[in-house]
Short mmCIF file of all heavy atoms in Angstrom, two decimals:
data_model
loop_
_atom_site.label_atom_id
_atom_site.label_comp_id
_atom_site.label_asym_id
_atom_site.label_seq_id
_atom_site.Cartn_x
_atom_site.Cartn_y
_atom_site.Cartn_z
N ASN U 1100 8.82 -96.14 -98.20
CA ASN U 1100 8.71 -97.56 -98.47
C ASN U 1100 8.32 -98.36 -97.23
O ASN U 1100 7.57 -99.32 -97.31
CB ASN U 1100 10.05 -98.05 -99.02
CG ASN U 1100 9.99 -99.43 -99.68
OD1 ASN U 1100 10.94 -99.85 -100.31
ND2 ASN U 1100 8.89 -100.14 -99.55
N THR U 1101 8.84 -97.96 -96.08
CA THR U 1101 8.73 -98.80 -94.89
C THR U 1101 7.41 -98.66 -94.15
O THR U 1101 6.89 -99.62 -93.59
CB THR U 1101 9.88 -98.50 -93.93
OG1 THR U 1101 9.98 -97.08 -93.76
CG2 THR U 1101 11.19 -99.04 -94.48
N PHE U 1102 6.84 -97.46 -94.12
CA PHE U 1102 5.56 -97.23 -93.44
C PHE U 1102 4.65 -96.40 -94.36
O PHE U 1102 4.42 -95.21 -94.11
CB PHE U 1102 5.78 -96.53 -92.10
CG PHE U 1102 6.38 -97.41 -91.05
CD1 PHE U 1102 7.75 -97.56 -90.94
CD2 PHE U 1102 5.57 -98.14 -90.19
CE1 PHE U 1102 8.31 -98.39 -89.99
CE2 PHE U 1102 6.11 -98.98 -89.23
CZ PHE U 1102 7.50 -99.11 -89.14
N PRO U 1103 4.15 -97.02 -95.42
CA PRO U 1103 3.43 -96.24 -96.44
C PRO U 1103 2.15 -95.59 -95.94
O PRO U 1103 1.77 -94.52 -96.42
CB PRO U 1103 3.15 -97.27 -97.54
CG PRO U 1103 3.28 -98.61 -96.87
CD PRO U 1103 4.29 -98.44 -95.80
N THR U 1104 1.48 -96.20 -94.98
CA THR U 1104 0.25 -95.60 -94.45
C THR U 1104 0.52 -94.79 -93.18
O THR U 1104 0.11 -93.65 -93.06
CB THR U 1104 -0.82 -96.67 -94.16
OG1 THR U 1104 -0.26 -97.69 -93.30
CG2 THR U 1104 -1.30 -97.31 -95.45
N TRP U 1105 1.26 -95.38 -92.24
CA TRP U 1105 1.48 -94.74 -90.94
C TRP U 1105 2.14 -93.37 -91.10
O TRP U 1105 1.79 -92.42 -90.41
CB TRP U 1105 2.35 -95.65 -90.07
CG TRP U 1105 2.32 -95.35 -88.60
CD1 TRP U 1105 1.54 -95.96 -87.67
CD2 TRP U 1105 3.11 -94.38 -87.90
NE1 TRP U 1105 1.80 -95.42 -86.43
CE2 TRP U 1105 2.76 -94.45 -86.54
CE3 TRP U 1105 4.07 -93.45 -88.29
CZ2 TRP U 1105 3.33 -93.65 -85.57
CZ3 TRP U 1105 4.65 -92.63 -87.33
CH2 TRP U 1105 4.27 -92.75 -85.98
N ASN U 1106 3.07 -93.26 -92.05
CA ASN U 1106 3.76 -92.00 -92.23
C ASN U 1106 3.09 -91.07 -93.23
O ASN U 1106 3.44 -89.88 -93.29
CB ASN U 1106 5.21 -92.24 -92.68
CG ASN U 1106 6.16 -92.46 -91.51
OD1 ASN U 1106 6.74 -93.53 -91.36
ND2 ASN U 1106 6.31 -91.46 -90.65
N SER U 1107 2.15 -91.56 -94.01
CA SER U 1107 1.49 -90.72 -95.02
C SER U 1107 0.13 -90.21 -94.58
O SER U 1107 -0.26 -89.09 -94.93
CB SER U 1107 1.33 -91.50 -96.33
OG SER U 1107 2.56 -91.82 -96.90
N TRP U 1108 -0.60 -91.02 -93.85
CA TRP U 1108 -1.97 -90.64 -93.51
C TRP U 1108 -2.07 -89.38 -92.65
O TRP U 1108 -2.97 -88.56 -92.88
CB TRP U 1108 -2.68 -91.80 -92.84
CG TRP U 1108 -3.10 -92.88 -93.81
CD1 TRP U 1108 -2.97 -92.87 -95.16
CD2 TRP U 1108 -3.72 -94.13 -93.48
NE1 TRP U 1108 -3.46 -94.04 -95.70
CE2 TRP U 1108 -3.93 -94.82 -94.69
CE3 TRP U 1108 -4.11 -94.73 -92.29
CZ2 TRP U 1108 -4.52 -96.09 -94.73
CZ3 TRP U 1108 -4.70 -96.00 -92.32
CH2 TRP U 1108 -4.90 -96.66 -93.53
N PRO U 1109 -1.21 -89.16 -91.66
CA PRO U 1109 -1.35 -87.92 -90.88
C PRO U 1109 -1.30 -86.67 -91.75
O PRO U 1109 -2.14 -85.77 -91.62
CB PRO U 1109 -0.20 -87.99 -89.89
CG PRO U 1109 0.05 -89.44 -89.71
CD PRO U 1109 -0.16 -90.04 -91.07
N GLY U 1110 -0.32 -86.56 -92.63
CA GLY U 1110 -0.22 -85.39 -93.49
C GLY U 1110 -1.35 -85.32 -94.49
O GLY U 1110 -1.89 -84.24 -94.76
N LEU U 1111 -1.73 -86.47 -95.06
CA LEU U 1111 -2.83 -86.50 -96.03
C LEU U 1111 -4.10 -85.93 -95.40
O LEU U 1111 -4.74 -85.03 -95.97
CB LEU U 1111 -3.04 -87.93 -96.50
CG LEU U 1111 -3.96 -88.21 -97.70
CD1 LEU U 1111 -3.74 -89.63 -98.21
CD2 LEU U 1111 -5.44 -88.01 -97.40
N PHE U 1112 -4.46 -86.46 -94.24
CA PHE U 1112 -5.73 -86.04 -93.63
C PHE U 1112 -5.64 -84.66 -92.99
O PHE U 1112 -6.64 -83.93 -92.97
CB PHE U 1112 -6.21 -87.11 -92.64
CG PHE U 1112 -6.77 -88.32 -93.31
CD1 PHE U 1112 -5.98 -89.42 -93.55
CD2 PHE U 1112 -8.08 -88.33 -93.78
CE1 PHE U 1112 -6.48 -90.53 -94.22
CE2 PHE U 1112 -8.59 -89.43 -94.44
CZ PHE U 1112 -7.79 -90.54 -94.66
N ALA U 1113 -4.47 -84.29 -92.48
CA ALA U 1113 -4.32 -82.93 -91.94
C ALA U 1113 -4.52 -81.90 -93.04
O ALA U 1113 -5.12 -80.84 -92.82
CB ALA U 1113 -2.95 -82.77 -91.30
N SER U 1114 -4.01 -82.18 -94.24
CA SER U 1114 -4.18 -81.25 -95.35
C SER U 1114 -5.59 -81.28 -95.91
O SER U 1114 -6.19 -80.24 -96.20
CB SER U 1114 -3.17 -81.57 -96.45
OG SER U 1114 -1.87 -81.19 -96.07
N LEU U 1115 -6.13 -82.47 -96.08
CA LEU U 1115 -7.46 -82.59 -96.70
C LEU U 1115 -8.53 -81.96 -95.82
O LEU U 1115 -9.38 -81.20 -96.31
CB LEU U 1115 -7.78 -84.06 -96.95
CG LEU U 1115 -9.07 -84.35 -97.71
CD1 LEU U 1115 -9.01 -83.77 -99.12
CD2 LEU U 1115 -9.34 -85.86 -97.77
N VAL U 1116 -8.50 -82.22 -94.53
CA VAL U 1116 -9.56 -81.72 -93.65
C VAL U 1116 -9.51 -80.20 -93.52
O VAL U 1116 -10.54 -79.55 -93.26
CB VAL U 1116 -9.48 -82.41 -92.27
CG1 VAL U 1116 -8.34 -81.84 -91.43
CG2 VAL U 1116 -10.81 -82.29 -91.51
N THR U 1117 -8.35 -79.61 -93.74
CA THR U 1117 -8.23 -78.14 -93.66
C THR U 1117 -8.51 -77.46 -95.00
O THR U 1117 -8.31 -76.25 -95.13
CB THR U 1117 -6.84 -77.74 -93.15
OG1 THR U 1117 -5.83 -78.42 -93.89
CG2 THR U 1117 -6.70 -78.09 -91.67
N GLY U 1118 -8.95 -78.25 -95.99
CA GLY U 1118 -9.45 -77.66 -97.23
C GLY U 1118 -8.57 -77.78 -98.44
O GLY U 1118 -8.91 -77.26 -99.51
N ASN U 1119 -7.43 -78.47 -98.31
CA ASN U 1119 -6.47 -78.54 -99.39
C ASN U 1119 -6.64 -79.81 -100.22
O ASN U 1119 -6.76 -80.90 -99.65
CB ASN U 1119 -5.05 -78.52 -98.83
CG ASN U 1119 -4.80 -77.35 -97.91
OD1 ASN U 1119 -4.52 -76.25 -98.35
ND2 ASN U 1119 -4.90 -77.58 -96.60
N PRO U 1120 -6.62 -79.71 -101.53
CA PRO U 1120 -6.55 -80.94 -102.34
C PRO U 1120 -5.20 -81.60 -102.15
O PRO U 1120 -4.20 -80.92 -101.88
CB PRO U 1120 -6.73 -80.43 -103.77
CG PRO U 1120 -6.33 -79.00 -103.74
CD PRO U 1120 -6.63 -78.49 -102.36
N VAL U 1121 -5.17 -82.92 -102.26
CA VAL U 1121 -3.96 -83.67 -101.93
C VAL U 1121 -3.54 -84.55 -103.10
O VAL U 1121 -4.35 -85.34 -103.61
CB VAL U 1121 -4.17 -84.54 -100.67
CG1 VAL U 1121 -2.87 -85.28 -100.32
CG2 VAL U 1121 -4.63 -83.70 -99.50
N VAL U 1122 -2.30 -84.41 -103.50
CA VAL U 1122 -1.67 -85.32 -104.46
C VAL U 1122 -0.80 -86.28 -103.68
O VAL U 1122 0.11 -85.85 -102.95
CB VAL U 1122 -0.84 -84.56 -105.51
CG1 VAL U 1122 -0.09 -85.53 -106.42
CG2 VAL U 1122 -1.72 -83.63 -106.33
N VAL U 1123 -1.06 -87.57 -103.81
CA VAL U 1123 -0.34 -88.60 -103.06
C VAL U 1123 0.69 -89.23 -103.99
O VAL U 1123 0.33 -89.88 -104.99
CB VAL U 1123 -1.30 -89.67 -102.52
CG1 VAL U 1123 -0.52 -90.75 -101.77
CG2 VAL U 1123 -2.34 -89.04 -101.60
N LYS U 1124 1.97 -89.01 -103.70
CA LYS U 1124 3.06 -89.56 -104.50
C LYS U 1124 3.72 -90.68 -103.69
O LYS U 1124 4.57 -90.45 -102.84
CB LYS U 1124 4.08 -88.45 -104.81
CG LYS U 1124 4.86 -88.65 -106.12
CD LYS U 1124 5.73 -89.88 -106.17
CE LYS U 1124 6.90 -89.83 -105.20
NZ LYS U 1124 7.74 -91.08 -105.29
N PRO U 1125 3.33 -91.94 -103.94
CA PRO U 1125 3.88 -93.03 -103.14
C PRO U 1125 5.29 -93.39 -103.55
O PRO U 1125 5.75 -93.07 -104.65
CB PRO U 1125 2.91 -94.19 -103.45
CG PRO U 1125 2.38 -93.88 -104.81
CD PRO U 1125 2.35 -92.39 -104.92
N HIS U 1126 5.99 -94.07 -102.65
CA HIS U 1126 7.27 -94.65 -103.01
C HIS U 1126 7.01 -95.72 -104.08
O HIS U 1126 6.05 -96.49 -103.97
CB HIS U 1126 7.92 -95.28 -101.78
CG HIS U 1126 9.33 -95.72 -101.98
ND1 HIS U 1126 9.68 -96.85 -102.69
CD2 HIS U 1126 10.51 -95.16 -101.57
CE1 HIS U 1126 10.99 -96.98 -102.70
NE2 HIS U 1126 11.53 -95.97 -102.03
N PRO U 1127 7.85 -95.81 -105.11
CA PRO U 1127 7.58 -96.79 -106.17
C PRO U 1127 7.48 -98.23 -105.70
O PRO U 1127 6.84 -99.06 -106.35
CB PRO U 1127 8.78 -96.60 -107.12
CG PRO U 1127 9.20 -95.19 -106.92
CD PRO U 1127 8.99 -94.93 -105.45
N GLN U 1128 8.10 -98.55 -104.56
CA GLN U 1128 8.02 -99.91 -104.04
C GLN U 1128 6.83 -100.13 -103.10
O GLN U 1128 6.61 -101.25 -102.65
CB GLN U 1128 9.32 -100.25 -103.29
CG GLN U 1128 10.52 -100.43 -104.19
CD GLN U 1128 10.46 -101.70 -105.03
OE1 GLN U 1128 9.72 -102.63 -104.71
NE2 GLN U 1128 11.21 -101.73 -106.11
N ALA U 1129 6.09 -99.08 -102.81
CA ALA U 1129 4.98 -99.20 -101.85
C ALA U 1129 3.80 -98.35 -102.32
O ALA U 1129 3.39 -97.40 -101.64
CB ALA U 1129 5.44 -98.78 -100.46
#
C-alpha cells in the first residue's frame, strides 16, 4: 500500500527482463 511502485518495480522488471511473464497483484488500496 505504501510504496506501490518503488517496492514493486524492481521485482517486476528483474523477472520480466530475465524472460519470465509477470502477474502483478496490487494491494487493494493501491
